[in-house]
Amino acid sequence: MVKMNSRVQVTAIQTALQCCLLFTLLLTKSVYALSSVSASVDKNPAMINESIVLTVIADDDVDSNALDTSPLLDNFIVGRTSVRSQTNIVNFNSSSSTTQWQVVLIARHAGELTIPALTVENMASTPISLNVLAQNEKTKQNLQQDIFVTSELSSTEVYVQQLVTLTLKLHYSIELKSGSLTEPSLPNATVEKVGQNKQNDININGKRYHVVEQTYAITPQQSG
């Protein structure tokens, strides 16, 4: 009888310990569940064509793809996004976890722009009001742009039905998700892409740029 009671007692203790462990795990999960998402920028105001780093932090270890950056595309060119997670461990127990995204942005135009609320799972960040300044000649001399486009026309005076070529070059010094040129649209003229785009790297005043070059054939259909 004594031996049987000991077995029952051991079983009861094991069951109690399992229940405590389960309760602890559930409590830990509840305590460290995602509760907030914050957003900040490294500069405000910023200059047009200047890169801006947007940092988004979630106070939990979440999927690296949980942040949707598509709402930024209306007002910004979205560059490279880096992600890192961090967990602080105390006495072999998870104390806190965070997931941080850093997104490189370039404003599409000057003015008062809004970085919209960005959602991670069911939590959203607070929108940010960003002042983007236009560049005057003085600031252009003092600041090397991170992205810009140059154009070259083979001739500025042509006859109707006379073909001219337009060469566009996209220069960028930051890592973009995609660097491409949109085909120009001109009223009363036909535009045709000539060959495939060319890509190379150049150095301008000590700054390295990747260049995407594309040539278009333009034929005016009427004078003006």
Coordinates of all heavy atoms in Angstrom, one line a residue, residues 150-191:
T150 N 19.3 61.9 -66.4 CA 19.7 62.8 -67.4 C 19.2 62.4 -68.7 O 18.9 61.2 -68.9 CB 21.3 62.9 -67.4 OG1 21.8 61.6 -67.7 CG2 21.8 63.4 -66.1
S151 N 19.1 63.4 -69.6 CA 18.6 63.1 -71.0 C 19.4 63.8 -72.0 O 20.0 64.9 -71.8 CB 17.1 63.6 -71.1 OG 17.0 65.0 -70.9
E152 N 19.5 63.2 -73.2 CA 20.2 63.8 -74.3 C 19.5 63.6 -75.6 O 19.1 62.4 -75.9 CB 21.6 63.2 -74.4 CG 22.5 63.7 -75.5 CD 23.9 63.1 -75.5 OE1 24.2 62.4 -74.5 OE2 24.6 63.3 -76.5
L153 N 19.2 64.6 -76.3 CA 18.5 64.6 -77.6 C 19.4 64.8 -78.7 O 20.3 65.7 -78.7 CB 17.4 65.6 -77.6 CG 16.2 65.5 -78.6 CD1 15.4 64.2 -78.3 CD2 15.3 66.7 -78.5
S154 N 19.3 64.0 -79.8 CA 20.3 64.1 -80.9 C 20.1 65.4 -81.6 O 21.1 65.9 -82.2 CB 20.1 62.9 -81.8 OG 18.8 62.9 -82.4
S155 N 19.0 66.0 -81.6 CA 18.7 67.3 -82.3 C 17.5 67.9 -81.7 O 16.5 67.3 -81.3 CB 18.5 67.1 -83.8 OG 18.3 68.3 -84.4
T156 N 17.6 69.3 -81.5 CA 16.5 70.0 -80.9 C 15.5 70.6 -82.0 O 14.4 71.1 -81.7 CB 17.0 71.1 -80.0 OG1 17.8 72.0 -80.8 CG2 17.7 70.5 -78.9
E157 N 15.9 70.6 -83.3 CA 15.1 71.1 -84.3 C 15.1 70.1 -85.5 O 16.1 69.7 -86.0 CB 15.7 72.4 -84.9 CG 15.6 73.6 -83.9 CD 16.1 74.9 -84.5 OE1 16.4 74.9 -85.7 OE2 16.1 75.9 -83.8
V158 N 13.9 69.6 -85.7 CA 13.7 68.5 -86.7 C 12.5 68.8 -87.6 O 11.6 69.7 -87.2 CB 13.5 67.1 -86.1 CG1 14.8 66.8 -85.3 CG2 12.3 67.1 -85.1
Y159 N 12.4 68.1 -88.7 CA 11.2 68.2 -89.6 C 10.2 67.1 -89.2 O 10.5 66.1 -88.6 CB 11.6 68.1 -91.0 CG 12.4 69.3 -91.5 CD1 13.8 69.1 -91.6 CD2 11.9 70.5 -91.9 CE1 14.6 70.2 -92.1 CE2 12.6 71.6 -92.3 CZ 14.0 71.4 -92.4 OH 14.8 72.4 -92.8
V160 N 9.0 67.3 -89.7 CA 8.0 66.3 -89.5 C 8.4 65.0 -90.2 O 9.0 65.1 -91.3 CB 6.6 66.7 -90.1 CG1 5.6 65.6 -90.0 CG2 6.1 68.0 -89.3
Q161 N 8.3 63.9 -89.5 CA 8.7 62.6 -90.0 C 10.2 62.4 -89.9 O 10.7 61.3 -90.4 CB 8.2 62.3 -91.4 CG 6.7 62.2 -91.5 CD 6.1 61.1 -90.7 OE1 6.6 60.0 -90.6 NE2 4.9 61.3 -90.2
Q162 N 10.9 63.3 -89.4 CA 12.4 63.2 -89.2 C 12.7 62.5 -87.9 O 12.2 63.0 -86.9 CB 13.1 64.5 -89.3 CG 14.6 64.4 -89.2 CD 15.3 65.7 -89.2 OE1 14.7 66.7 -89.6 NE2 16.6 65.8 -88.9
L163 N 13.4 61.4 -87.9 CA 13.7 60.7 -86.7 C 14.8 61.3 -85.9 O 15.8 61.8 -86.4 CB 14.1 59.3 -87.1 CG 14.3 58.3 -85.9 CD1 13.9 56.9 -86.3 CD2 15.8 58.2 -85.5
V164 N 14.6 61.4 -84.6 CA 15.6 61.9 -83.6 C 15.7 60.8 -82.5 O 14.8 60.0 -82.3 CB 15.3 63.2 -83.0 CG1 15.3 64.3 -84.0 CG2 13.9 63.2 -82.3
T165 N 16.8 60.8 -81.8 CA 17.0 59.8 -80.7 C 17.1 60.6 -79.4 O 17.6 61.6 -79.3 CB 18.2 59.0 -80.9 OG1 19.4 59.8 -81.0 CG2 18.1 58.1 -82.2
L166 N 16.4 60.0 -78.4 CA 16.5 60.5 -77.0 C 17.1 59.4 -76.2 O 16.7 58.2 -76.1 CB 15.0 60.7 -76.5 CG 14.9 61.1 -75.0 CD1 15.6 62.4 -74.7 CD2 13.4 61.1 -74.6
T167 N 18.2 59.8 -75.4 CA 18.9 58.9 -74.6 C 18.6 59.3 -73.1 O 18.9 60.4 -72.7 CB 20.4 58.8 -74.8 OG1 20.6 58.4 -76.2 CG2 21.1 57.9 -73.9
L168 N 18.1 58.4 -72.3 CA 17.8 58.6 -70.9 C 18.8 57.8 -70.1 O 19.0 56.6 -70.4 CB 16.4 58.3 -70.6 CG 15.3 59.1 -71.3 CD1 13.9 58.6 -70.8 CD2 15.4 60.6 -71.0
K169 N 19.3 58.4 -69.0 CA 20.2 57.7 -68.1 C 19.7 57.9 -66.7 O 19.5 59.0 -66.2 CB 21.6 58.2 -68.2 CG 22.2 57.9 -69.6 CD 23.7 58.4 -69.6 CE 24.4 58.1 -70.9 NZ 25.8 58.6 -70.9
L170 N 19.4 56.7 -66.0 CA 19.0 56.7 -64.6 C 20.3 56.5 -63.8 O 20.9 55.4 -63.9 CB 18.0 55.7 -64.3 CG 17.6 55.4 -62.8 CD1 17.0 56.6 -62.2 CD2 16.7 54.2 -62.7
H171 N 20.6 57.4 -62.9 CA 21.8 57.3 -62.0 C 21.3 57.0 -60.6 O 20.4 57.8 -60.1 CB 22.7 58.5 -62.0 CG 23.2 58.9 -63.3 ND1 22.4 59.4 -64.4 CD2 24.4 59.0 -63.8 CE1 23.1 59.7 -65.4 NE2 24.4 59.4 -65.1
Y172 N 21.8 56.0 -59.9 CA 21.4 55.9 -58.5 C 22.6 55.3 -57.7 O 23.3 54.4 -58.2 CB 20.2 55.1 -58.3 CG 20.1 53.7 -58.9 CD1 20.5 52.6 -58.2 CD2 19.7 53.5 -60.2 CE1 20.5 51.3 -58.7 CE2 19.7 52.2 -60.8 CZ 20.1 51.1 -60.0 OH 20.0 49.9 -60.6
S173 N 22.8 55.8 -56.5 CA 23.9 55.3 -55.6 C 23.4 54.5 -54.5 O 24.2 54.0 -53.7 CB 24.6 56.6 -55.1 OG 23.8 57.3 -54.3
I174 N 22.1 54.2 -54.4 CA 21.6 53.4 -53.3 C 21.0 52.1 -54.0 O 20.8 52.0 -55.2 CB 20.5 54.0 -52.5 CG1 19.3 54.4 -53.5 CG2 21.0 55.3 -51.8 CD1 18.1 54.8 -52.7
E175 N 20.8 51.1 -53.2 CA 20.3 49.8 -53.7 C 18.8 49.9 -53.8 O 18.1 50.1 -52.8 CB 20.7 48.7 -52.8 CG 20.3 47.3 -53.3 CD 20.8 46.2 -52.4 OE1 21.8 46.4 -51.7 OE2 20.2 45.1 -52.5
L176 N 18.3 49.8 -55.1 CA 16.9 49.8 -55.3 C 16.3 48.4 -55.6 O 17.0 47.5 -56.0 CB 16.6 50.7 -56.5 CG 17.0 52.2 -56.5 CD1 16.7 52.9 -57.8 CD2 16.3 52.9 -55.3
K177 N 15.0 48.2 -55.3 CA 14.4 47.0 -55.7 C 14.4 46.7 -57.2 O 14.6 45.6 -57.6 CB 12.9 46.9 -55.1 CG 12.8 46.8 -53.6 CD 11.4 46.6 -53.2 CE 11.3 46.4 -51.7 NZ 9.9 46.3 -51.3
S178 N 14.2 47.8 -57.9 CA 14.3 47.7 -59.4 C 14.7 49.1 -59.9 O 14.1 50.1 -59.5 CB 13.0 47.3 -60.0 OG 12.0 48.1 -59.7
G179 N 15.7 49.2 -60.7 CA 16.0 50.5 -61.4 C 15.7 50.4 -62.8 O 16.4 49.7 -63.6
S180 N 14.7 51.1 -63.3 CA 14.3 51.0 -64.7 C 13.7 52.3 -65.1 O 13.3 53.2 -64.3 CB 13.2 49.9 -64.9 OG 12.0 50.2 -64.1
L181 N 13.7 52.5 -66.4 CA 13.2 53.8 -67.0 C 11.9 53.5 -67.7 O 11.7 52.5 -68.3 CB 14.2 54.3 -68.1 CG 15.5 54.8 -67.5 CD1 16.6 54.9 -68.6 CD2 15.3 56.2 -66.9
T182 N 10.9 54.4 -67.5 CA 9.6 54.3 -68.2 C 9.7 55.0 -69.5 O 10.3 56.1 -69.7 CB 8.6 55.0 -67.3 OG1 8.5 54.5 -66.0 CG2 7.2 54.9 -67.9
E183 N 9.1 54.3 -70.5 CA 9.1 54.8 -71.9 C 8.4 56.2 -71.9 O 7.3 56.3 -71.4 CB 8.5 53.8 -72.8 CG 8.5 54.3 -74.3 CD 7.9 53.2 -75.2 OE1 8.5 52.1 -75.2 OE2 6.9 53.5 -75.9
P184 N 9.0 57.2 -72.5 CA 8.4 58.5 -72.6 C 7.2 58.5 -73.5 O 7.1 57.7 -74.4 CB 9.5 59.4 -73.2 CG 10.4 58.5 -73.9 CD 10.4 57.2 -73.1
S185 N 6.2 59.4 -73.2 CA 5.0 59.5 -74.0 C 4.9 60.9 -74.5 O 4.9 61.9 -73.7 CB 3.8 59.2 -73.1 OG 2.6 59.4 -73.9
L186 N 5.0 61.1 -75.8 CA 4.9 62.4 -76.4 C 3.7 62.5 -77.4 O 3.5 61.7 -78.2 CB 6.2 62.6 -77.2 CG 7.5 62.6 -76.5 CD1 8.7 62.7 -77.4 CD2 7.6 63.7 -75.4
P187 N 2.9 63.6 -77.2 CA 1.8 63.8 -78.1 C 2.3 64.1 -79.5 O 3.3 64.8 -79.7 CB 1.0 65.0 -77.5 CG 2.1 65.7 -76.7 CD 3.0 64.7 -76.2
N188 N 1.6 63.6 -80.5 CA 1.8 63.9 -81.9 C 3.2 63.4 -82.3 O 3.9 64.0 -83.2 CB 1.7 65.4 -82.2 CG 0.4 66.0 -81.8 OD1 -0.7 65.4 -82.0 ND2 0.4 67.1 -81.2
A189 N 3.7 62.3 -81.7 CA 4.9 61.7 -82.1 C 4.9 60.2 -81.8 O 4.2 59.8 -80.8 CB 6.1 62.4 -81.4
T190 N 5.6 59.4 -82.6 CA 5.7 58.0 -82.2 C 7.1 57.8 -81.5 O 8.1 58.5 -81.8 CB 5.8 57.2 -83.5 OG1 6.9 57.5 -84.3 CG2 4.5 57.4 -84.3
V191 N 7.0 56.9 -80.5 CA 8.2 56.6 -79.7 C 8.5 55.1 -79.7 O 7.6 54.3 -79.4 CB 8.0 57.1 -78.2 CG1 9.2 56.8 -77.4 CG2 7.7 58.6 -78.2

